[in-house]
Amino acid sequence: MEATIQYARSGDVNIAYQVTGEGAFDLVLVSGFVSHLDYDWEHPSSAQLLERLGSFARLIRFDKRGTGLSDRAVGLPDFETRMDDVRAVMDAAGSDRAALFGYSEGGPLAILFAATYPQRVLALVLYGTYAKRTGPDSEYPWCETAEERAGYAAAIEREWGFEADLSRMAPSADESLARWWMARARASASPGSARDLVMMNSQADVRDVHRVGDRDARVEEGRYIAAHIDGARFVELPGDTHVPFWQPDDLVDEVEEFLTGVRPTRVADRVLATILFTDLVGSTERLGALGDHQWAELLERHHQLVRRELARFGGEEIDTAGDGFLALFDGPARAIRCALAIREGLAELGLDVRAGVHTGEVERPRGGAPRGISVHMGARIAGAGSAGDVLVSATTRDLVAGSGLEFADRGEVELKGIGARRLYAATA
């Protein structure tokens, strides 16, 4: 995601925030106890959550003070200070009123902000959250004792480098999400900071949607919160995942319907397609050698050639960013032959290109660009190539068996945010 990371000043602290999407209203995402504005785009499932939220709202995200890209050495803030940070981010982003979506530890903060500044809150969405964290009593028996929370915080610090609470937060996660989770955790906070944040969040007592098998926040806690908010609608979702960025579609369906009044029709929007990404290699060096004017002329010839080949092979141009193209095809063989033709044509212009091809289901909202894990897969495959490479996934290669296309096995390649995948280079 290319949206700029910006900073809002809250007292003496710089709070990092990012705005994406162009919906009719603002939606502020109040994350769990750690986040990282950059890393949150680095796994396809997390990116899908953010893309879908940004498809119907202007999405405003921020890293809480002490985490992610915000100032880190800031001590342990109380909830009042954190409310100031939310307000500072909204002011900096030009948001007078917004819907708040708080998950996990972000839930109590969102609740408190909405109660304190009701004139600035359009609606409140809560997921996997709680009203109280420490000190069970007859009214709220589901939270842990102070001793249990202290033990949990100590375990977080001890295991931050290799587990970071994944078994509790997303026990069904696959290997690729587990690797991303660990990288995100290390970038978001140190072990000691993570421990301190757990203890700070343990002070929450601010007495929605919720997954039935959630291991961190019980479903009864969600029912309790819904029962104490006028006009609330409570939704139970299947599964045991506490965080929202693992298989997020069923959650976002509920959020979108609640905030917009329109139920998304995901099934009709999903299509099987072959994704082609192209990217010029060494373009910065060529720009420096040619100068702006000559490079602009050469880039225009590049665009004309790519578009000619897309039209010849039945590809649909989706997007172009500088010197790269994203296109969709309804047949994998045509996509690969188009990439090979683009490579040959650009070589005559003295340009080196790399391309990635992958076949899978994509979500294609009416009038919108395709999105989903398959799109990210195609981009990662292209990024794994060198000058002249037309790399394809094993899925795509299997689908074109008997087409006459030939491939060289490139073995298992680690794709950022996805994991190891076997790739093949199309040769003819």
Side-chain angles (χ1 to χ4, degrees):
M1 172 56 58
E2 298 299 327
T4 302
I5 303 294
Q6 302 181 76
Y7 286 88
R9 192 75 171 173
S10 182
D12 296 329
V13 176
N14 296 294
I15 306 297
Y17 73 96
Q18 185 181 56
V19 180
T20 56
E22 298 179 349
F25 61 93
D26 291 345
L27 174 62
V28 176
L29 183 64
V30 186
S31 299
F33 84 122
V34 297
S35 63
H36 196 289
L37 293 176
D38 281 336
Y39 273 85
D40 285 353
W41 289 104
E42 292 300 321
H43 190 273
S45 186
S46 178
Q48 185 175 352
L49 168 72
L50 303 182
E51 288 171 352
R52 284 206 58 193
L53 293 175
S55 70
F56 59 84
R58 178 174 175 256
L59 180 63
I60 303 170
R61 301 161 46 242
F62 67 99
D63 288 334
K64 296 190 185 78
R65 60 172 61 205
T67 72
L69 298 176
S70 295
D71 284 349
R72 302 290 277 271
V74 294
L76 281 180
D78 55 23
F79 277 92
E80 182 177 355
T81 302
R82 288 195 165 193
M83 280 200 301
D84 289 340
D85 295 345
V86 176
R87 187 174 55 186
V89 167
M90 289 180 63
D91 288 345
S95 178
D96 294 326
R97 298 186 73 202
L100 265 59
F101 179 6
Y103 69 85
S104 190
E105 284 83 358
L109 178 56
I111 293 171
L112 193 58
F113 187 92
T116 307
Y117 304 107
Q119 73 278 8
R120 301 202 66 171
V121 179
L122 293 168
L124 188 61
V125 177
L126 305 172
Y127 171 74
T129 193
Y130 50 86
K132 185 180 181 182
R133 213 45 170 160
T134 304
D137 53 34
S138 59
E139 180 189 9
Y140 202 93
W142 310 288
C143 55
E144 296 175 316
T145 65
E147 293 76 14
E148 288 171 331
R149 289 298 292 176
Y152 173 54
I156 287 288
E157 180 180 21
R158 184 172 60 250
E159 301 170 359
W160 192 248
F162 62 89
E163 210 274 343
D165 212 24
L166 179 63
S167 61
R168 178 163 166 160
M169 297 294 114
S172 300
D174 63 12
E175 184 180 351
S176 71
L177 188 127
R179 283 194 295 269
W180 167 79
W181 176 280
M182 291 309 309
R184 175 182 182 268
R186 289 189 293 266
S188 299
S190 68
S193 295
R195 175 205 62 220
D196 291 344
L197 287 165
V198 168
M199 294 308 297
M200 190 278 292
N201 289 324
S202 297
Q203 306 306 312
D205 186 353
V206 294
R207 329 188 227 168
D208 122 318
V209 291
H210 212 100
R211 290 194 188 273
V212 175
D214 194 325
R215 298 187 182 187
D216 189 66
R218 296 172 184 267
V219 69
E220 291 85 359
E221 295 181 86
R223 294 179 186 138
Y224 175 94
I225 293 171
H228 287 78
I229 298 177
D230 290 341
R233 182 164 68 90
F234 180 72
V235 178
E236 292 183 19
L237 300 174
D240 56 8
T241 301
H242 178 66
V243 292
F245 36 72
W246 172 242
Q247 299 177 338
D249 279 334
D250 54 353
L251 166 62
V252 182
D253 284 352
E254 299 294 341
V255 174
E256 183 173 353
E257 182 179 13
F258 176 67
L259 293 177
T260 68
V262 178
R263 183 75 176 182
T265 54
R266 278 193 287 131
V267 175
D269 288 342
R270 296 192 71 83
V271 297
L272 183 68
T274 297
I275 300 103
L276 166 65
F277 276 91
T278 70
D279 180 40
L280 286 181
V281 178
S283 56
T284 302
E285 291 79 3
R286 289 298 300 276
L287 170 59
L290 293 174
D292 291 342
H293 180 69
Q294 284 185 283
W295 173 249
E297 290 183 344
L298 186 58
L299 196 60
E300 179 59 28
R301 294 176 66 189
H302 159 270
H303 283 32
Q304 291 174 354
L305 186 147
V306 172
R307 288 177 173 134
R308 183 178 70 239
E309 298 301 343
L310 289 177
R312 183 158 73 101
F313 288 95
E316 178 189 358
E317 178 185 335
I318 300 299
D319 190 23
T320 179
D323 53 15
F325 275 79
L326 162 62
L328 289 190
F329 293 78
D330 59 9
R334 285 194 294 277
I336 296 170
R337 289 194 169 97
C338 181
L340 292 170
I342 290 171
R343 180 181 69 181
E344 182 179 347
L346 292 180
E348 295 179 2
L349 297 178
L351 295 172
D352 292 321
V353 69
R354 59 184 176 185
V357 183
H358 175 61
T359 306
E361 275 198 340
V362 299
E363 188 175 344
R364 190 74 189 275
R366 186 171 300 174
R371 62 194 183 204
I373 292 177
S374 292
V375 178
H376 290 278
M377 182 85 161
R380 294 291 189 259
I381 292 172
S386 301
D389 281 342
V390 176
L391 298 182
V392 308
S393 64
T395 300
T396 302
R397 183 249 192 185
D398 292 344
L399 287 172
V400 299
S403 66
L405 290 164
E406 298 178 0
F407 301 91
D409 190 343
R410 290 290 180 85
E412 296 282 324
V413 177
E414 187 71 24
L415 303 179
K416 186 176 181 181
I418 292 175
R421 297 290 188 273
R422 183 167 293 277
L423 301 183
Y424 297 84
T427 57

